[in-house]
Amino acid sequence: MERIIKSGTSIMMYPEGAWNGNENMLIMPLFKGPYLLASNLKKDGVNTKVVPEAQYKDVENKTIYVKVGEPFDITKYDYKEGLIKLRDEMATLKWNIMEKNLPISKRDELGKDPRYDFMLSNAQEFINGK
């Protein structure tokens, strides 16, 4: 990745490290990859900015929403603070997508066990490769 960035090409990283199957967290805790990569590049004199990005897949409408945030220098922070800032930015982007594009649900419109329904839907989507 360092070689690719040094050549002038951008990369995408998914710092959550997995598909988020938790209906209670907009963004899961992040791995250190973006921070470590930017720090290593900075040591070599390459100033790299991290661009937060969030996606939301609206399965019902077969639509994927993507929102991109402002680039920032994650190395201005220690790694924990930098990852918290990145996660907060990603969560805000995802929240903005949901707030703008998704209908409001009422509790009585949900099934008997919405968590089970959510997990079953995610498992089925994974199995079907969609």
Side-chain angles (χ1 to χ4, degrees), residues 38-67:
S39 294
N40 286 344
L41 287 163
K42 192 168 208 160
K43 289 175 192 172
D44 292 341
V46 179
N47 290 320
T48 304
K49 299 210 183 226
V50 172
V51 181
E53 181 262 350
Q55 305 168 10
Y56 185 86
K57 183 176 182 182
D58 182 352
V59 177
E60 191 173 306
N61 294 312
K62 298 181 179 178
T63 303
I64 297 175
Y65 299 97
V66 178
K67 194 159 179 80

Side-chain angles (χ1 to χ4, degrees), residues 62-123:
K62 298 181 179 178
T63 303
I64 297 175
Y65 299 97
V66 178
K67 194 159 179 80
V68 178
E70 293 296 320
F72 73 98
D73 182 358
I74 197 168
T75 64
K76 287 185 176 181
Y77 310 91
D78 70 36
Y79 89 87
K80 285 183 182 179
E81 291 173 323
L83 292 177
I84 288 170
K85 177 169 175 49
L86 177 57
R87 186 170 179 247
D88 285 351
E89 293 287 331
M90 292 169 66
T92 299
L93 293 168
K94 185 171 269 191
W95 179 263
N96 289 338
I97 291 170
M98 294 166 66
E99 189 173 49
K100 180 179 178 186
N101 299 292
L102 303 179
I104 296 173
S105 298
K106 295 180 181 175
R107 179 65 179 103
D108 61 350
E109 294 173 350
L110 300 175
K112 178 179 154 190
D113 188 349
R115 183 179 197 307
Y116 176 79
D117 295 341
F118 174 83
M119 297 305 286
L120 183 62
S121 170
N122 279 354

